[in-house]
Amino acid sequence: MHVTLSPSAPFLTIDYANEVAGFPFFDVAELSGPAQIEVKYSEEYDALLEPQSDGPWTFSNGLSNTFRRETFNLTSTGLTESYFVQGGQRWQTVRLLTSHPITFTSIGFRATSAHIAADDVPGQLRTSNSIYNDIWDLGARVVQAACVDAGNAPATWELTDQGALIRGQATAQSAKGLGFANYTMTFFTKIVRSGTGWKVASGTTPYGATFVLTSEYPSDNTFVNTNRTLLPPNTLIFNWGWNIYNQTTVITGINRYYPLSMPVAEGRWHKITTRISGAGYNVSLNDVPIAFVPIALAISSPQGGRFGSGSPTKGTIGFGGAEDQISYFTNVSVTATNGTTLYHNDLKGTATLAEYGIDSLDTSVCLDGAKRDRLVWVGDFYHTSKVIPASTARFDYILGTIKYALDWQRTSPPSQGLVPISGYMGSRPEYKDAITSIYGGLNDYQDLFLTSIGEYYRYTADLDGLRPYWTQIKNLVTARLAAIDPVSGLVAGTGASYFLGPVNGSAPTALLSYSLRILVPIAKALNDDTAAALYTTTANHLNDALNAKLWNPALGVYSLSLASPSNFSLTAIAWTILSGAANNSQAASMVAKMPELRLGIGYKTSSADVSSPDYELSPNTQGMLLEALFKAHRDLGVTSLTVAKSLLDDMWSKMVTQDVYYSGASWEYLNPVGKPGIQLFTSLAHPWGAAPTYVLPEYVLGISATSPGFKTWNFQPLLQGLDLTEVNGTVVTPYGNIYAEWHIVNNGQGVIVSATVPKGTTGNLVLPAGSNAECEGRQYHGGHVQLHGGRRSNVHIRHGGQGGRHW
């Protein structure tokens, strides 16, 4: 098939149907002369109408293209491939910018992530509700898009004998300069196209003093779509923050422009010097001063202390230009005010890549999102570690991510024992003593990571895979136990902050209880009775403290925290149920409180939160709640599933019923009317939003492990509450797949249940209370039916009472 673009028909829009990732390529069959094309990529359709599509992604380098628009100059037939990965998109446009027609034989992506149809992954779930099937599919796709094999995210700098050839991208920062202050940086750059860019006074995250220098834009080497308003020729541009581009939530300041009186030639070496002082930044080009930027223009915003260096005169250096710029960089030196050389690098050696955090990915890992936040967020990995076993069964990704995080574990203060909460793919553990900022904040992410390790063992019983890391896992637990307040018995910690709730609060405390308890089977399997006893006892004490200090009988719910006794949160409801802190009556009472948190299509996190049209509803935390609601129904006798059903019908359904936003993957946030919650910045391929993919097989199909690796397992179908008449699915185990199904028959008077049981396992079909059942000629009256390994069992269940009862 051939597609031709011409001045009279210059546009092509491609719909890949769902999220894809890879290196964009263009196979040209014919062209009559050089042709420039502008290409955009996006997850949602409407972004294609914006100048920068749904980017750029200036929050981190991410071993991918920072920009969602790029331009190509095609001069010959054959294959042209982008230098950068595009991490995730459903949509792509190609626009011919010049006058010569061009014909393509194919356009697409050289894949860097798996793209197996949801119907073809090992784990499966299908129900009588097509919307629920589509919701389940979201997780099966998203963990393919957001998990990357080692080698599939190459370095984004090209090292040559002239230095580092750097194409336009978010600046990458040196891990060696974080302690620099009031210094002078000098480097040499040769512009290949359009301009060059650098940073000073930055954190390892690209937040600091940003400079872009544009060239004279020679006509034979400048793209016709160059934005000369944003990037005028022969100009130094300054901004403080992320970059010179503004976007939804990564807001930066006003660009400051310093026109030069001299042309900035391409293809020749230029010496650039940036001197930092308490007054500002002095910039020179070829030893000629070209700008002084007053320090008043570089006042650090509140984000600066978290992402940057916290000071406009302190921090490291970085390099990376604006969109479509290409430059060489070499002979970088940093000198102190007394003339002492602090740093020198010609940017030619391979060690440079790890130093700047842009080396090739060397471990298969799962990221926070496909296109954005391409970092290893260990807390958000909690959901990923459960979605994978239920769908793709790529357990190597789970173990790879565990290995990656523990390779970075700190062995000395500060943050001794902790793992990075948001690690960089392209860095290496040798820099863990320099990049200390990635260990602080969101302390409960450490607990969610521990929980992921426990979940991995629950699904796989892979003791050999975890054995090498057991000492490190215990060291992380030790670090977290130090956060238990000796007075309150709740989780706090000096200077601590938590994602799920405040210090001395119900959600962080219940989470740590759960984390400890799920590690106990690993400890016992390794004959570490001391750890098993400690974790069990501590979890019990945490639950006791929750009930003694935070259960509020007047509210009928656990208080948000000691400091906020009259408020409550859905995260606390979720984790107090999951951890076993809440008993039957407490669980029922809390579920009855959920309508008070209702906001639009979902539920706000806390009663203390102000309701607004812009509120960010989190599928992450509501996914935790979803599992807790089903657990309360199954294990604690809470009959109502109204809230759980509303989460599926009202919130998750929005991810699959709005084609303009549909990506085929789960989302990061939604607003109260069901649109992407942080506008174009929203990741529409975020595994933390895929909880139904693991919740539905375990609680609706009803297959749950009762010993690690499904050596023993329960089959407890959810016959009421979701208006389903049929569910079938495949659950992957180390012994082989469990194939299970149930469907309601005889106008609701009976249920046919079937299961294929792998050899080496034993299933336990839990019968509904008061029911009768027949299996292989044997009659059962309530209780359970044992399902033996190596064969398929069929069970007919009937109501035991009179009066036309039905499911």
Side-chain angles (χ1 to χ4, degrees):
M1 181 177 179
H2 288 56
V3 175
T4 299
L5 298 182
S6 66
S8 61
F11 285 98
L12 172 66
T13 300
I14 304 171
D15 179 4
Y16 292 95
N18 49 59
E19 193 89 358
V20 296
F23 291 93
F25 69 80
F26 309 87
D27 199 348
V28 178
E30 298 178 30
L31 75 170
S32 57
Q36 292 183 18
I37 58 172
E38 177 188 273
V39 185
K40 291 182 181 179
Y41 316 91
S42 69
E43 286 185 328
E44 64 176 84
Y45 178 80
D46 286 350
L48 298 172
L49 307 177
E50 300 296 326
Q52 289 290 329
S53 192
D54 62 2
W57 310 121
T58 55
F59 183 76
S60 65
N61 180 282
L63 298 185
S64 63
N65 199 332
T66 301
F67 298 95
R68 301 288 274 173
R69 184 183 75 167
E70 59 182 335
T71 305
F72 297 87
N73 187 39
L74 303 176
T75 58
S76 63
T77 59
L79 190 68
T80 295
E81 183 174 282
S82 175
Y83 184 79
F84 292 115
V85 169
Q86 287 288 347
Q89 48 276 318
R90 172 187 166 183
W91 298 94
Q92 180 182 11
T93 58
V94 182
R95 178 166 72 104
L96 180 65
L97 299 173
T98 49
S99 59
H100 296 110
I102 184 169
T103 300
F104 300 97
T105 58
S106 62
I107 297 173
F109 294 89
R110 179 167 61 85
T112 53
S113 295
H115 193 238
I116 302 169
D119 285 342
D120 295 330
V121 299
Q124 284 294 316
L125 183 90
R126 286 295 175 262
T127 77
S128 54
N129 185 324
S130 62
I131 295 295
Y132 290 3
N133 299 342
D134 291 342
I135 291 170
W136 186 91
D137 290 350
L138 297 174
R141 294 193 192 97
V142 75
V143 293
Q144 297 184 67
C147 297
V148 185
D149 287 320
N152 274 5
T156 54
W157 291 8
E158 182 180 352
L159 300 184
T160 75
D161 57 4
Q162 296 187 67
L165 180 60
I166 303 177
R167 295 157 177 86
Q169 59 189 276
T171 57
Q173 284 64 236
S174 170
K176 295 183 176 180
L178 294 167
F180 295 165
N182 294 309
Y183 55 85
T184 299
M185 179 182 73
T186 299
F187 65 93
F188 289 81
T189 186
K190 181 166 68 173
I191 299 173
V192 176
R193 184 178 63 225
S194 298
T196 190
W198 67 99
K199 253 190 173 68
V200 295
S202 178
T204 49
T205 301
Y207 190 95
T210 304
F211 297 90
V212 172
L213 178 66
T214 58
S215 75
E216 59 185 337
Y217 292 163
S219 59
D220 61 347
N221 196 42
T222 302
F223 290 144
V224 298
N225 63 339
T226 300
N227 186 338
R228 294 173 183 248
T229 301
L230 178 68
L231 295 160
N234 299 314
T235 300
L236 179 71
I237 307 162
F238 169 82
N239 205 314
W240 175 264
W242 300 102
N243 208 295
I244 65 170
Y245 300 87
N246 251 317
Q247 56 181 313
T248 309
T249 62
V250 184
I251 296 173
T252 193
I254 299 172
N255 288 334
R256 309 291 176 168
Y257 291 89
Y258 299 85
L260 275 61
S261 60
M262 65 190 87
V264 180
E266 297 183 1
R268 56 161 287 186
W269 288 102
H270 298 281
K271 177 184 178 183
I272 294 179
T273 302
T274 306
R275 181 170 60 86
I276 305 174
S277 69
Y281 308 101
N282 285 280
V283 183
S284 297
L285 175 64
N286 300 320
D287 294 321
V288 176
I290 57 172
F292 170 73
V293 181
I295 208 74
L297 299 182
I299 299 302
S300 182
S301 77
Q303 290 185 323
R306 177 177 178 185
F307 298 112
S309 67
S311 167
T313 61
K314 177 184 177 182
T316 192
I317 59 175
F319 302 98
E323 177 189 347
D324 291 328
Q325 292 183 342
I326 307 177
S327 294
Y328 287 97
F329 296 79
T330 193
N331 291 333
V332 181
S333 63
V334 177
T335 57
T337 52
N338 63 3
T340 302
T341 298
L342 302 175
Y343 175 87
H344 181 80
N345 191 336
D346 63 8
L347 305 185
K348 298 178 183 179
T350 56
T352 294
L353 298 175
E355 176 194 336
Y356 282 83
I358 39 82
D359 206 350
S360 298
L361 177 65
D362 65 352
T363 305
S364 297
V365 297
C366 292
L367 308 175
D368 204 39
K371 71 173 181 182
R372 203 212 76 225
D373 280 16
R374 288 173 58 87
L375 301 162
V376 183
W377 284 89
V378 295
D380 305 338
F381 177 63
Y382 164 76
H383 289 291
T384 310
S385 72
K386 302 180 75 170
V387 173
I388 287 174
S391 58
T392 63
R394 284 292 304 270
F395 295 102
D396 56 315
Y397 281 135
I398 304 176
L399 197 59
T401 305
I402 291 170
K403 175 186 182 300
Y404 169 89
L406 290 173
D407 282 349
W408 277 81
Q409 185 177 40
R410 289 197 52 77
T411 56
S412 60
S415 306
Q416 184 171 350
L418 300 186
V419 297
I421 63 168
S422 56
Y424 302 106
M425 282 192 289
S427 191
R428 296 292 183 266
E430 65 195 83
Y431 292 107
K432 63 185 177 183
D433 289 333
I435 311 175
T436 56
S437 61
I438 58 177
Y439 296 87
L442 303 185
N443 300 76
D444 46 353
Y445 269 39
Q446 308 288 336
D447 306 332
L448 288 166
F449 175 65
L450 288 171
T451 301
S452 301
I453 295 172
E455 294 288 1
Y456 174 74
Y457 184 68
R458 182 171 75 92
Y459 284 112
T460 67
D462 181 16
L463 197 61
D464 289 339
L466 293 176
R467 190 189 309 272
Y469 307 111
W470 182 238
T471 297
Q472 290 176 274
I473 293 167
K474 291 197 294 182
N475 289 341
L476 176 51
V477 172
T478 299
R480 292 300 301 134
L481 293 183
I484 299 175
D485 189 310
V487 177
S488 68
L490 305 169
V491 170
T494 303
S497 65
Y498 294 96
F499 182 79
L500 298 178
V503 298
N504 278 309
S506 44
T509 302
L511 169 60
L512 181 56
S513 169
Y514 184 91
S515 303
L516 294 171
R517 209 175 296 278
I518 202 170
L519 293 175
V520 170
I522 305 175
K524 288 182 176 179
L526 292 170
N527 297 315
D528 193 339
D529 295 336
T530 301
L534 174 63
Y535 299 168
T536 300
T537 301
T538 306
N540 290 338
H541 288 164
L542 289 168
N543 285 359
D544 291 343
L546 280 165
N547 283 305
K549 302 292 179 64
L550 291 175
W551 176 252
N552 189 326
L555 288 179
V557 70
Y558 289 93
S559 294
L560 185 65
S561 67
L562 292 179
S564 186
S566 61
N567 286 303
F568 65 99
S569 70
L570 66 81
T571 51
I573 293 172
W575 287 105
T576 53
I577 291 172
L578 293 172
S579 68
N583 61 29
N584 297 32
S585 62
Q586 288 172 318
S589 176
M590 290 191 294
V591 172
K593 292 284 287 187
M594 281 302 304
E596 296 181 28
L597 297 179
R598 185 76 192 217
L599 179 60
I601 61 162
Y603 298 84
K604 61 183 182 180
T605 302
S606 168
S607 60
D609 294 346
V610 176
S611 299
S612 77
D614 299 323
Y615 190 92
E616 297 168 11
L617 297 171
S618 171
N620 173 18
T621 55
Q622 295 185 59
M624 299 167 183
L625 175 68
L626 184 71
E627 179 172 17
L629 294 169
F630 281 112
K631 180 177 176 62
H633 179 81
R634 186 190 68 186
D635 299 344
L636 299 176
V638 179
T639 57
S640 174
L641 282 173
T642 301
V643 176
K645 192 173 188 302
S646 74
L647 287 171
L648 295 169
D649 294 349
D650 300 337
M651 189 183 75
W652 262 283
S653 67
K654 297 299 183 184
M655 302 184 195
V656 300
T657 57
Q658 302 179 94
D659 189 60
V660 69
Y661 305 121
Y662 178 78
S663 67
S666 53
W667 300 1
E668 180 186 19
Y669 287 105
L670 298 88
N671 67 19
V673 298
K675 296 181 179 181
I678 37 180
Q679 302 172 49
L680 294 182
F681 191 71
T682 312
S683 168
L684 300 184
H686 231 63
W688 83 0
T693 302
Y694 64 82
V695 170
L696 296 179
E698 181 160 349
Y699 295 92
V700 179
L701 178 61
I703 303 295
S704 60
T706 54
S707 61
F710 292 86
K711 178 70 175 175
T712 59
W713 46 276
N714 277 352
F715 186 4
Q716 189 170 356
L718 179 69
L719 302 177
Q720 293 177 306
L722 296 183
D723 300 328
L724 298 175
T725 59
E726 182 178 357
V727 179
N728 65 78
T730 304
V731 176
V732 178
T733 84
Y735 301 92
N737 293 342
I738 300 170
Y739 301 98
E741 61 181 307
W742 59 262
H743 61 278
I744 295 173
V745 296
N746 299 332
N747 295 318
Q749 299 301 304
V751 182
I752 302 297
V753 176
S754 302
T756 299
V757 184
K759 290 182 179 180
T761 76
T762 301
N764 179 54
L765 174 63
V766 181
L767 299 174
S771 65
N772 298 318
E774 180 182 346
C775 178
E776 300 174 355
R778 183 177 176 183
Q779 302 295 318
Y780 296 83
H781 304 283
H784 66 274
V785 177
Q786 191 173 67
L787 308 175
H788 299 283
R791 60 187 180 186
R792 183 169 181 81
S793 297
N794 299 293
V795 183
H796 188 186
I797 304 174
R798 299 177 303 279
H799 274 299
Q802 302 296 319
R805 293 177 60 201
H806 64 276
W807 283 292

